[in-house]
């Protein structure tokens, strides 16, 4: 059996934890399995490197930032190989260039194009544990790139896909995927299984357990995933797969996302093609738009509101202001004191009344909704940020999760 294991920064934050991870990987190795390990940078290394870069040049080019940030993962994998060798187990550390994990050239947020397997298979055939840097790739110029925050999950899934791994285990500081963030909702329960689509929605809507691009890739290539605890080795995790038994659970989880900014363009002409002009400009700048609300036309004008991640606020505001000026709108404003609360579940598709239950829970707790977005398996609402935790708990209770 070939197993890909991914461990995050907190799992390898110090010497004790590095040896803990090493021993867990060695258990599978000694059971006769081939083991590939993907690691993030130790602890807060990435944040520390970003802070250091800002003291040198707050406007550093993204290429140089990628060159700097990828050193964190290289430290992790080399130390892990040393730990395994100290435990008398053959291991080898490899970075993205040594594996040849080909990526696009978008520094800071690259995507994989293809991954070579020859070097890894050679090392596995030599009965070594292979330890690979997460979060990074190599572009056509032989420059090193990063995949964006959470990119180590994507590295693990990409390797599991090309190696045709029997299992891809993602280790985190929680025991699996919960019905809500257990730090916010004390009564949150761990799920035994969740579908790719449900997990993708949860990851996209603020659940921090898995990176959404990794789930997207896992579904595309049918990678068998399990989210497990890096601390409690004897606790089963959450299986992510194509189909799950609904077991009367209309809703699988409630997610809270505080990284949201609402932008509104006021009194733009009520004409065909107006919305296309602003959203095509945002797309050209690689800015993802989430919830969109367009008012009913009045006196030849309408308002267009949309949400973006707070990290994209400044860029989105510049685009919105240029658009407003070009089409003769009245003004642009923003509100970053908002939060997005979402419910996710494949069961809601065939069960009426789910939205009513959610809205009733919010209404009874005097929580006002400013925007709503729906799909087949999720409903998201925009509310005041300070009411986020209260809303998640109210909804979690309303659905008896």
């Amino acid at each position: 059996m070939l197993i890909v294991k991914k461990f995050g920064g907190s799992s390898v934050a110090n010497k004790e934890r590095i040896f803990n991870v090493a021993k867990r990987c060695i258990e599978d190795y000694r059971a006769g399995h081939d083991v590939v390990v993907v690691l993030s940078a130790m602890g807060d290394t990435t944040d520390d490197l970003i802070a250091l870069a800002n003291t040198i040049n707050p406007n550093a080019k993204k290429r140089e930032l990628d060159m700097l940030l990828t050193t964190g993962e290289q430290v992790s994998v080399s130390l892990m190989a040393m730990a395994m060798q100290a435990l008398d187990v053959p291991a080898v550390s490899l970075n993205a260039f040594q594996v040849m994990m080909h990526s696009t050239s978008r520094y800071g947020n690259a995507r994989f194009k293809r991954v070579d397997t020859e070097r890894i298979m050679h090392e596995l055939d030599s009965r070594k544990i292979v330890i690979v840097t997460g979060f990074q790739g190599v572009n056509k110029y032989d420059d090193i790139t990063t995949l964006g925050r959470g990119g180590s999950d994507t590295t693990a899934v990409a390797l599991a896909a090309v190696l045709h791994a029997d299992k891809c285990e993602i280790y985190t500081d929680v025991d699996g995927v919960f019905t809500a963030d257990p730090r916010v909702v004390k009564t949150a329960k761990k799920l035994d299984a969740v579908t790719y689509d449900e997990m993708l929605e949860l990851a996209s809507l603020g659940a921090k357990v898995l990176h959404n691009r990794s789930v997207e890739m896992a579904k595309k290539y049918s990678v068998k995933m399990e989210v497990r605890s890096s601390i409690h080795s004897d606790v089963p995790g959450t299986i992510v797969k194509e189909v799950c038994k609904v077991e009367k659970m209309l809703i699988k989880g409630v997610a809270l996302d505080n990284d949201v900014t609402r932008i509104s363009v006021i009194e733009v002409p009520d004409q065909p093609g107006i919305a296309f002009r602003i959203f095509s400009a945002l797309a050209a700048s690689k800015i993802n738009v989430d919830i969109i609300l367009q008012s009913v036309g009045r006196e030849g004008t309408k308002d267009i509101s949309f949400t973006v991640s707070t990290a994209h606020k400044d860029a989105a505001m510049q685009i919105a202001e240029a658009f407003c000026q070009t089409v003769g709108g009245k003004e642009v404003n923003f509100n970053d004191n908002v939060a997005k609360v979402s419910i996710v579940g494949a069961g809601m598709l065939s069960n009426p009344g789910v939205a009513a239950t959610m809205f009733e829970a919010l209404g009874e707790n005097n929580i006002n909704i400013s925007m709503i977005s729906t799909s087949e398996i999720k409903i998201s609402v925009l509310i005041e940020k300070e009411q986020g935790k209260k809303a998640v708990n109210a909804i979690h209770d309303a659905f008896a999760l």
Side-chain angles (χ1 to χ4, degrees):
M1 182 182 289
L2 197 165
I3 305 171
V4 176
K5 295 172 173 285
K6 179 264 173 178
F7 293 88
S10 61
S11 301
V12 291
N14 53 43
K15 173 185 173 182
E16 180 184 0
R17 293 186 180 185
I18 287 173
F19 273 99
N20 177 55
V21 168
K23 290 171 183 174
R24 294 191 67 169
C25 297
I26 288 170
E27 284 179 11
D28 282 322
Y29 173 84
R30 287 185 169 149
H33 304 307
D34 289 326
V35 180
V36 176
V37 184
V38 175
L39 299 181
S40 298
M42 296 172 65
D44 297 323
T45 298
T46 302
D47 290 334
D48 293 342
L49 289 172
I50 291 172
L52 176 61
N54 287 335
T55 66
I56 303 295
N57 182 357
N59 300 308
K61 292 186 179 298
K62 289 185 176 179
R63 180 195 179 279
E64 303 308 327
L65 279 173
D66 280 5
M67 181 70 86
L68 173 69
L69 298 183
T70 50
T71 62
E73 281 69 27
Q74 196 154 307
V75 170
S76 292
V77 297
S78 57
L79 291 176
M80 184 60 68
M82 293 176 196
M84 291 182 179
Q85 291 163 7
L87 296 169
D88 295 324
V89 172
V92 60
S93 62
L94 301 173
N95 62 22
F97 195 87
Q98 291 166 314
V99 174
M100 282 315 298
M101 305 193 74
H102 304 270
S103 77
T104 60
S105 296
R106 190 178 178 201
Y107 301 105
N109 197 24
R111 289 176 177 267
F112 285 130
K113 295 168 71 175
R114 72 180 192 278
V115 178
D116 295 346
T117 61
E118 184 177 353
R119 178 66 187 274
I120 293 179
M121 292 307 300
H122 170 73
E123 301 292 357
L124 290 175
D125 289 343
S126 302
R127 280 302 287 157
K128 294 177 184 174
I129 295 179
V130 180
I131 310 156
V132 181
T133 51
F135 177 61
Q136 59 184 244
V138 179
N139 69 16
K140 62 182 179 181
Y141 307 110
D142 286 342
D143 284 344
I144 202 151
T145 61
T146 65
L147 310 180
R149 282 303 179 93
S152 293
D153 290 350
T154 305
T155 300
V157 173
L159 288 173
V162 297
L163 295 169
H164 305 290
D166 297 281
K167 190 188 298 186
C168 180
E169 298 174 343
I170 307 293
Y171 288 84
T172 72
D173 53 3
V174 293
D175 290 344
V177 181
F178 284 71
T179 51
D181 187 335
R183 291 163 293 192
V184 176
V185 180
K186 300 303 180 186
T187 56
K189 292 181 175 61
K190 183 169 70 71
L191 297 166
D192 293 329
V194 63
T195 67
Y196 289 121
D197 287 337
E198 289 169 335
M199 191 65 246
L200 182 57
E201 291 285 8
L202 286 168
S204 302
L205 296 169
K208 306 298 183 184
V209 178
L210 282 176
H211 192 251
N212 59 321
R213 273 163 55 187
S214 72
V215 184
E216 199 173 53
M217 187 181 291
K219 179 180 180 179
K220 182 177 180 180
Y221 296 104
S222 300
V223 174
K224 297 177 181 177
M225 295 181 76
E226 183 176 2
V227 182
R228 299 192 59 185
S229 168
S230 60
I231 302 166
H232 306 121
S233 59
D234 56 341
V235 176
T238 300
I239 304 293
V240 185
K241 56 185 181 179
E242 189 62 49
V243 180
C244 299
K245 293 180 181 178
V246 176
E247 295 176 347
K248 298 182 179 179
M249 284 188 73
L250 302 182
I251 305 303
K252 279 290 179 69
V254 187
L256 172 64
D257 186 1
N258 288 313
D259 181 28
V260 182
T261 295
R262 171 179 172 164
I263 295 176
S264 299
V265 189
I266 310 301
E267 293 186 14
V268 297
D270 187 10
Q271 300 170 355
I274 286 291
F276 165 76
R277 290 177 65 175
I278 184 169
F279 292 119
S280 62
L282 290 163
S285 294
K286 309 294 185 186
I287 297 174
N288 288 326
V289 175
D290 187 14
I291 305 176
I292 300 172
L293 178 65
Q294 180 173 292
S295 69
V296 177
R298 61 185 187 284
E299 298 179 0
T301 69
K302 60 188 176 185
D303 301 339
I304 298 177
S305 297
F306 57 92
T307 63
V308 297
S309 68
T310 302
H312 290 144
K313 180 186 75 174
D314 292 341
M317 281 293 291
Q318 288 181 358
I319 292 170
E321 286 167 353
F323 161 77
C324 184
Q325 198 169 28
T326 302
V327 302
K330 182 180 179 181
E331 63 176 342
V332 178
N333 58 53
F334 73 90
N335 181 5
D336 51 14
N337 188 33
V338 292
K340 180 174 64 177
V341 177
S342 310
I343 57 173
V344 175
M348 70 171 69
L349 182 62
S350 56
N351 289 273
V354 173
T357 301
M358 179 182 187
F359 299 152
E360 181 183 22
L362 295 173
E364 287 179 347
N365 284 272
N366 201 31
I367 299 171
N368 191 45
I369 300 170
S370 61
M371 297 176 79
I372 302 171
S373 173
T374 65
S375 76
E376 291 181 337
I377 66 168
K378 67 104 176 175
I379 301 172
S380 296
V381 297
L382 202 68
I383 62 173
E384 291 182 9
K385 183 174 289 187
E386 63 190 28
Q387 294 187 311
K389 291 184 179 180
K390 180 181 177 183
V392 170
N393 278 277
I395 294 167
H396 196 272
D397 290 343
F399 285 100
L401 296 179

